[in-house]
Amino acid sequence: MNSPTDQTVVIQKCLDRLHAGDESAREDLIRSACNRLERLTRKMLRRWDRVRRWEDTCDVMQNALIRLYRSLSETQPTGVVHFFRLAALHIRRELHDLAKHYYGPRGIGSNHATAAWKTPSEGGCADMGLEPDGADDDPASLAAWAEFHAQVERLPEEEREVFDLLWYQDLSQAECAALLDVSERTVKRRWAS
């Protein structure tokens, strides 16, 4: 597996090829982003069993990759940071759309009670009851999560740039600073604000 530094070099080479008109560079960019997007998707879905009931990590990631691939035909990222931010934007949009789709007023997740089976060791023989409501996967929490993504979109440019790289792309502050060509102190200040 490539280190983040090696990965940024590979991505920059793909971007250079894309700018030179090499359409196969789009596929190489997507391939290089797959592991990162999969980790990000898994991280975001980890806490929400109800969303995972309808979609799994691969489904969400595939839709985000399709969005990213399409946008690369219209938008050519100016550099690695721009590419990372574009990838983060598409996964954020996919998660936001899923939350609206499943937990909107007419969403199947809002209007469906899932039964949980108790095993004999849990006190009975296949006794069926409603799934307990978890604070992190109820519709109100999912709406808050969707609003969280919308708020990220409204951050000032420099703060959103740092947020995208640290939160969505899971880069370290040092890696973020190197990509943005600023000091770690600047990254920390933007992250804190």
mmCIF file of all heavy atoms in Angstrom, residues 30-47:
data_model
loop_
_atom_site.group_PDB
_atom_site.id
_atom_site.type_symbol
_atom_site.label_atom_id
_atom_site.label_comp_id
_atom_site.label_asym_id
_atom_site.label_seq_id
_atom_site.Cartn_x
_atom_site.Cartn_y
_atom_site.Cartn_z
ATOM 1 N N ILE A 30 -9.767 7.543 -10.270
ATOM 2 C CA ILE A 30 -10.799 6.833 -9.508
ATOM 3 C C ILE A 30 -10.182 5.639 -8.793
ATOM 4 O O ILE A 30 -10.447 5.411 -7.608
ATOM 5 C CB ILE A 30 -11.948 6.377 -10.439
ATOM 6 C CG1 ILE A 30 -12.670 7.587 -11.030
ATOM 7 C CG2 ILE A 30 -12.905 5.446 -9.718
ATOM 8 C CD1 ILE A 30 -13.338 8.481 -10.019
ATOM 9 N N ARG A 31 -9.352 4.902 -9.499
ATOM 10 C CA ARG A 31 -8.695 3.741 -8.883
ATOM 11 C C ARG A 31 -7.859 4.156 -7.669
ATOM 12 O O ARG A 31 -7.875 3.487 -6.638
ATOM 13 C CB ARG A 31 -7.803 3.050 -9.926
ATOM 14 C CG ARG A 31 -7.849 1.568 -9.865
ATOM 15 C CD ARG A 31 -7.039 0.889 -10.972
ATOM 16 N NE ARG A 31 -7.809 0.843 -12.215
ATOM 17 C CZ ARG A 31 -7.499 1.486 -13.333
ATOM 18 N NH1 ARG A 31 -6.416 2.215 -13.416
ATOM 19 N NH2 ARG A 31 -8.244 1.385 -14.408
ATOM 20 N N SER A 32 -7.159 5.273 -7.793
ATOM 21 C CA SER A 32 -6.317 5.718 -6.681
ATOM 22 C C SER A 32 -7.135 6.228 -5.503
ATOM 23 O O SER A 32 -6.664 6.232 -4.368
ATOM 24 C CB SER A 32 -5.318 6.784 -7.142
ATOM 25 O OG SER A 32 -5.985 7.967 -7.493
ATOM 26 N N ALA A 33 -8.386 6.647 -5.759
ATOM 27 C CA ALA A 33 -9.240 7.165 -4.684
ATOM 28 C C ALA A 33 -10.074 6.078 -4.021
ATOM 29 O O ALA A 33 -10.662 6.315 -2.973
ATOM 30 C CB ALA A 33 -10.154 8.254 -5.230
ATOM 31 N N CYS A 34 -10.138 4.895 -4.620
ATOM 32 C CA CYS A 34 -11.025 3.842 -4.108
ATOM 33 C C CYS A 34 -10.783 3.503 -2.638
ATOM 34 O O CYS A 34 -11.724 3.470 -1.849
ATOM 35 C CB CYS A 34 -10.903 2.579 -4.950
ATOM 36 S SG CYS A 34 -11.897 2.623 -6.435
ATOM 37 N N ASN A 35 -9.553 3.228 -2.273
ATOM 38 C CA ASN A 35 -9.274 2.853 -0.877
ATOM 39 C C ASN A 35 -9.642 3.966 0.091
ATOM 40 O O ASN A 35 -10.229 3.726 1.138
ATOM 41 C CB ASN A 35 -7.806 2.466 -0.701
ATOM 42 C CG ASN A 35 -7.479 1.140 -1.341
ATOM 43 O OD1 ASN A 35 -8.363 0.324 -1.583
ATOM 44 N ND2 ASN A 35 -6.211 0.923 -1.630
ATOM 45 N N ARG A 36 -9.317 5.184 -0.283
ATOM 46 C CA ARG A 36 -9.630 6.332 0.573
ATOM 47 C C ARG A 36 -11.135 6.505 0.719
ATOM 48 O O ARG A 36 -11.645 6.687 1.818
ATOM 49 C CB ARG A 36 -9.001 7.596 -0.014
ATOM 50 C CG ARG A 36 -9.222 8.837 0.805
ATOM 51 C CD ARG A 36 -8.567 10.033 0.163
ATOM 52 N NE ARG A 36 -7.133 9.903 0.081
ATOM 53 C CZ ARG A 36 -6.301 10.159 1.094
ATOM 54 N NH1 ARG A 36 -6.775 10.536 2.251
ATOM 55 N NH2 ARG A 36 -5.012 10.030 0.952
ATOM 56 N N LEU A 37 -11.874 6.416 -0.383
ATOM 57 C CA LEU A 37 -13.318 6.568 -0.319
ATOM 58 C C LEU A 37 -13.976 5.413 0.417
ATOM 59 O O LEU A 37 -14.964 5.610 1.123
ATOM 60 C CB LEU A 37 -13.911 6.705 -1.719
ATOM 61 C CG LEU A 37 -13.721 8.060 -2.385
ATOM 62 C CD1 LEU A 37 -14.264 8.043 -3.800
ATOM 63 C CD2 LEU A 37 -14.379 9.164 -1.589
ATOM 64 N N GLU A 38 -13.433 4.230 0.274
ATOM 65 C CA GLU A 38 -14.000 3.095 1.007
ATOM 66 C C GLU A 38 -13.832 3.278 2.516
ATOM 67 O O GLU A 38 -14.764 3.064 3.286
ATOM 68 C CB GLU A 38 -13.355 1.786 0.563
ATOM 69 C CG GLU A 38 -13.964 0.583 1.243
ATOM 70 C CD GLU A 38 -13.381 -0.733 0.763
ATOM 71 O OE1 GLU A 38 -12.416 -0.728 -0.026
ATOM 72 O OE2 GLU A 38 -13.899 -1.771 1.198
ATOM 73 N N ARG A 39 -12.647 3.702 2.952
ATOM 74 C CA ARG A 39 -12.427 3.955 4.388
ATOM 75 C C ARG A 39 -13.350 5.052 4.893
ATOM 76 O O ARG A 39 -13.955 4.935 5.957
ATOM 77 C CB ARG A 39 -10.967 4.354 4.644
ATOM 78 C CG ARG A 39 -9.997 3.223 4.643
ATOM 79 C CD ARG A 39 -8.624 3.619 5.188
ATOM 80 N NE ARG A 39 -8.128 4.885 4.698
ATOM 81 C CZ ARG A 39 -7.354 5.036 3.616
ATOM 82 N NH1 ARG A 39 -7.004 3.999 2.899
ATOM 83 N NH2 ARG A 39 -6.939 6.224 3.261
ATOM 84 N N LEU A 40 -13.470 6.094 4.113
ATOM 85 C CA LEU A 40 -14.332 7.208 4.490
ATOM 86 C C LEU A 40 -15.792 6.765 4.585
ATOM 87 O O LEU A 40 -16.473 7.072 5.564
ATOM 88 C CB LEU A 40 -14.180 8.328 3.466
ATOM 89 C CG LEU A 40 -15.111 9.517 3.590
ATOM 90 C CD1 LEU A 40 -14.917 10.212 4.911
ATOM 91 C CD2 LEU A 40 -14.867 10.467 2.436
ATOM 92 N N THR A 41 -16.244 6.020 3.607
ATOM 93 C CA THR A 41 -17.633 5.551 3.607
ATOM 94 C C THR A 41 -17.897 4.637 4.791
ATOM 95 O O THR A 41 -18.897 4.775 5.491
ATOM 96 C CB THR A 41 -17.943 4.816 2.285
ATOM 97 O OG1 THR A 41 -17.657 5.698 1.201
ATOM 98 C CG2 THR A 41 -19.391 4.388 2.229
ATOM 99 N N ARG A 42 -16.983 3.723 5.034
ATOM 100 C CA ARG A 42 -17.147 2.805 6.172
ATOM 101 C C ARG A 42 -17.197 3.578 7.485
ATOM 102 O O ARG A 42 -18.014 3.298 8.356
ATOM 103 C CB ARG A 42 -15.993 1.795 6.188
ATOM 104 C CG ARG A 42 -16.151 0.736 7.247
ATOM 105 C CD ARG A 42 -15.133 -0.393 7.106
ATOM 106 N NE ARG A 42 -15.522 -1.244 5.988
ATOM 107 C CZ ARG A 42 -14.819 -1.366 4.854
ATOM 108 N NH1 ARG A 42 -13.704 -0.716 4.687
ATOM 109 N NH2 ARG A 42 -15.239 -2.145 3.888
ATOM 110 N N LYS A 43 -16.355 4.576 7.608
ATOM 111 C CA LYS A 43 -16.315 5.405 8.820
ATOM 112 C C LYS A 43 -17.660 6.095 9.047
ATOM 113 O O LYS A 43 -18.181 6.117 10.156
ATOM 114 C CB LYS A 43 -15.196 6.444 8.662
ATOM 115 C CG LYS A 43 -15.139 7.507 9.718
ATOM 116 C CD LYS A 43 -14.029 8.498 9.383
ATOM 117 C CE LYS A 43 -14.151 9.777 10.135
ATOM 118 N NZ LYS A 43 -13.136 10.759 9.749
ATOM 119 N N MET A 44 -18.234 6.616 7.971
ATOM 120 C CA MET A 44 -19.479 7.359 8.118
ATOM 121 C C MET A 44 -20.684 6.456 8.365
ATOM 122 O O MET A 44 -21.619 6.845 9.055
ATOM 123 C CB MET A 44 -19.713 8.220 6.896
ATOM 124 C CG MET A 44 -18.741 9.357 6.803
ATOM 125 S SD MET A 44 -19.094 10.363 5.365
ATOM 126 C CE MET A 44 -17.958 11.701 5.646
ATOM 127 N N LEU A 45 -20.663 5.268 7.813
ATOM 128 C CA LEU A 45 -21.802 4.368 7.977
ATOM 129 C C LEU A 45 -21.727 3.515 9.238
ATOM 130 O O LEU A 45 -22.713 2.903 9.629
ATOM 131 C CB LEU A 45 -21.914 3.427 6.763
ATOM 132 C CG LEU A 45 -22.390 4.063 5.474
ATOM 133 C CD1 LEU A 45 -22.390 3.028 4.362
ATOM 134 C CD2 LEU A 45 -23.750 4.677 5.626
ATOM 135 N N ARG A 46 -20.579 3.473 9.855
ATOM 136 C CA ARG A 46 -20.346 2.578 10.993
ATOM 137 C C ARG A 46 -21.405 2.699 12.083
ATOM 138 O O ARG A 46 -21.816 1.702 12.673
ATOM 139 C CB ARG A 46 -18.970 2.867 11.574
ATOM 140 C CG ARG A 46 -18.546 1.892 12.663
ATOM 141 C CD ARG A 46 -17.135 2.163 13.134
ATOM 142 N NE ARG A 46 -16.231 1.949 12.011
ATOM 143 C CZ ARG A 46 -15.167 2.696 11.756
ATOM 144 N NH1 ARG A 46 -14.863 3.701 12.525
ATOM 145 N NH2 ARG A 46 -14.406 2.438 10.710
ATOM 146 N N ARG A 47 -21.865 3.893 12.347
ATOM 147 C CA ARG A 47 -22.751 4.098 13.494
ATOM 148 C C ARG A 47 -24.225 3.955 13.174
ATOM 149 O O ARG A 47 -25.047 4.009 14.077
ATOM 150 C CB ARG A 47 -22.491 5.481 14.072
ATOM 151 C CG ARG A 47 -21.083 5.599 14.644
ATOM 152 C CD ARG A 47 -20.765 6.973 15.111
ATOM 153 N NE ARG A 47 -21.739 7.417 16.088
ATOM 154 C CZ ARG A 47 -21.848 8.662 16.489
ATOM 155 N NH1 ARG A 47 -21.059 9.579 16.022
ATOM 156 N NH2 ARG A 47 -22.752 8.998 17.376
#
